[in-house]
């Protein structure tokens, strides 16, 4: 006769046989925890890269970035800096697209963990907040990736995640469907800070999928600063170009 432990053991073994843990990006099996496999982790989150601290854009290694990079030097942002795993291109672009699709949760969690790994001192943040996704878009997409990314970063660094810190004031058009100069107008006064949180003097990490023109992150940052936040930095999986 089997002990309850034995039954549990057999059922876990059977479960693993039917659904072997796999890398959520390349779907290779053989990993114990279902996280990104070592090859995908290196591809999607290179350990050796030079990125602009101001806007998160990858930059040639020799370039001095104190005053920003060629992509952001002429822009003004309310946020203090951006962390990004890399450019919205190649494998990282495919990963972002896959992460946003139904069943992309595990990949979003893995990318959030990788993102936490490139933030030098994430413990300085008093709160981690995702860029909010409007209910209609959330229902259409099925996956709220900014929220999952924020949860994964919070879990990795032990920081408080405030899922509902930012709210929509109104529905906005999808930024990626608009020309860069229209994006700022689209998100102007589109967000508000939830009255259930007090963020006076808080240092906040704002989390989103992609940063392209920076208009959405900038609009969110402005309301957080107006509500008393001391500083806002942004973490995104990928830094988009002007065409995406
Ligand atoms: Zn993989
Ligand atoms: Zn830059």
């Amino acid at each position: 006769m089997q002990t309850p432990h034995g039954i549990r053991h057999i059922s876990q073994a059977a479960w693993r046989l039917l659904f072997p843990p796999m890398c959520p990006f390349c779907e290779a099996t053989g990993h114990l925890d279902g996280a990104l496999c070592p090859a995908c982790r290196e591809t999607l989150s290179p350990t050796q890269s030079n990125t602009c601290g101001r806007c998160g854009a990858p930059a040639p290694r020799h370039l001095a970035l104190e005053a920003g990079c060629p992509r952001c030097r002429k822009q003004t942002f309310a946020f203090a800096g951006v962390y990004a795993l890399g450019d919205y291109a190649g494998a990282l672009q495919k990963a972002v697209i896959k992460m946003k699709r139904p069943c992309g949760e595990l990949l979003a969690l893995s990318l959030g963990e990788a993102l936490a790994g490139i933030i030098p001192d994430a413990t300085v943040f008093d709160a981690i907040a995702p860029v909010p996704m409007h209910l209609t878009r959330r229902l259409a997409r099925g996956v709220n990736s900014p929220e999952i990314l924020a949860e994964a970063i919070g879990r990795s660094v032990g920081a408080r995640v405030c899922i509902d810190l930012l709210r929509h004031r109104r529905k906005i058009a999808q930024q990626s469907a608009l020309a860069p100069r229209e994006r700022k107008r689209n998100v102007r006064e589109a967000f508000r800070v939830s009255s259930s949180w007090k963020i006076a003097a808080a240092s906040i990490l704002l989390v989103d999928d992609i940063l392209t023109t920076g208009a959405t992150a900038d609009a969110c940052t402005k309301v957080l600063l107006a509500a008393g936040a001391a500083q806002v930095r942004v973490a995104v999986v990928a830094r988009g170009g002007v065409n995406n």
Side-chain angles (χ1 to χ4, degrees), residues 23 26 37 40:
C23 167
C26 73
C37 70
C40 287

Side-chain angles (χ1 to χ4, degrees), residues 33-54:
D33 54 1
L36 287 173
C37 70
C40 287
R41 195 171 170 102
E42 181 52 33
T43 308
L44 300 173
S45 176
T47 44
Q48 302 286 317
S49 64
N50 192 28
T51 56
C52 171
R54 196 167 171 265

Side-chain angles (χ1 to χ4, degrees), residues 161-244:
V161 181
C162 307
I163 291 298
D164 61 346
L165 179 58
L166 285 160
R167 301 260 179 93
H168 277 101
R169 268 183 199 282
R170 57 178 168 80
K171 189 171 183 284
I172 56 171
Q174 202 168 331
Q175 289 286 77
S176 57
L178 301 172
R181 67 174 180 284
E182 292 170 339
R183 295 182 185 192
K184 231 176 193 167
R185 193 173 41 219
N186 184 40
V187 291
R188 193 172 294 149
E189 294 176 9
F191 305 101
R192 67 179 176 85
V193 174
S194 163
S195 56
S196 51
W197 296 99
K198 298 282 170 274
I199 56 165
S203 186
I204 292 172
L205 183 67
L206 180 68
V207 181
D208 205 357
D209 308 324
I210 313 174
L211 182 132
T212 305
T213 62
T216 304
D218 203 54
C220 290
T221 301
K222 281 176 178 158
V223 294
L224 290 166
L225 294 175
Q231 193 190 67
V232 178
R233 287 182 176 266
V234 182
V236 290
V237 174
R239 174 68 162 89
V242 286
N243 298 318
N244 48 44

Side-chain angles (χ1 to χ4, degrees), residues 8-193:
R8 193 162 62 238
H9 184 75
I10 287 168
S11 66
Q12 273 183 5
W15 181 265
R16 279 183 180 273
L17 205 64
L18 285 168
F19 305 102
M22 59 171 72
C23 167
F25 184 51
C26 73
E27 298 180 5
T29 54
H31 307 285
L32 292 176
D33 54 1
L36 287 173
C37 70
C40 287
R41 195 171 170 102
E42 181 52 33
T43 308
L44 300 173
S45 176
T47 44
Q48 302 286 317
S49 64
N50 192 28
T51 56
C52 171
R54 196 167 171 265
C55 78
R61 199 171 294 274
H62 61 273
L63 201 69
L65 300 168
E66 288 79 22
C69 71
R71 278 159 81 173
C72 72
R73 241 167 237 157
K74 290 181 181 163
Q75 289 176 272
T76 51
F77 300 123
F79 46 80
V82 178
Y83 306 106
L85 290 179
D87 232 341
Y88 186 63
L92 197 57
Q93 180 172 12
K94 284 188 190 139
V96 170
I97 292 167
K98 189 170 180 177
M99 166 187 90
K100 291 176 171 185
R101 287 192 188 136
C103 303
E105 290 90 346
L106 265 183
L107 182 56
L109 273 175
S110 298
L111 290 168
E113 279 162 18
L115 195 47
I118 63 153
I119 301 173
D121 187 8
T123 55
V124 303
F125 296 106
D126 301 299
I128 299 179
V131 167
M133 189 183 286
H134 197 272
L135 182 66
T136 50
R137 202 161 150 229
R138 186 183 295 213
L139 290 172
R141 207 160 99 172
V143 179
N144 185 341
S145 40
E147 202 171 292
I148 299 170
L149 291 167
E151 294 275 16
I153 297 171
R155 198 190 300 170
S156 294
V157 302
R160 169 182 268 195
V161 181
C162 307
I163 291 298
D164 61 346
L165 179 58
L166 285 160
R167 301 260 179 93
H168 277 101
R169 268 183 199 282
R170 57 178 168 80
K171 189 171 183 284
I172 56 171
Q174 202 168 331
Q175 289 286 77
S176 57
L178 301 172
R181 67 174 180 284
E182 292 170 339
R183 295 182 185 192
K184 231 176 193 167
R185 193 173 41 219
N186 184 40
V187 291
R188 193 172 294 149
E189 294 176 9
F191 305 101
R192 67 179 176 85
V193 174

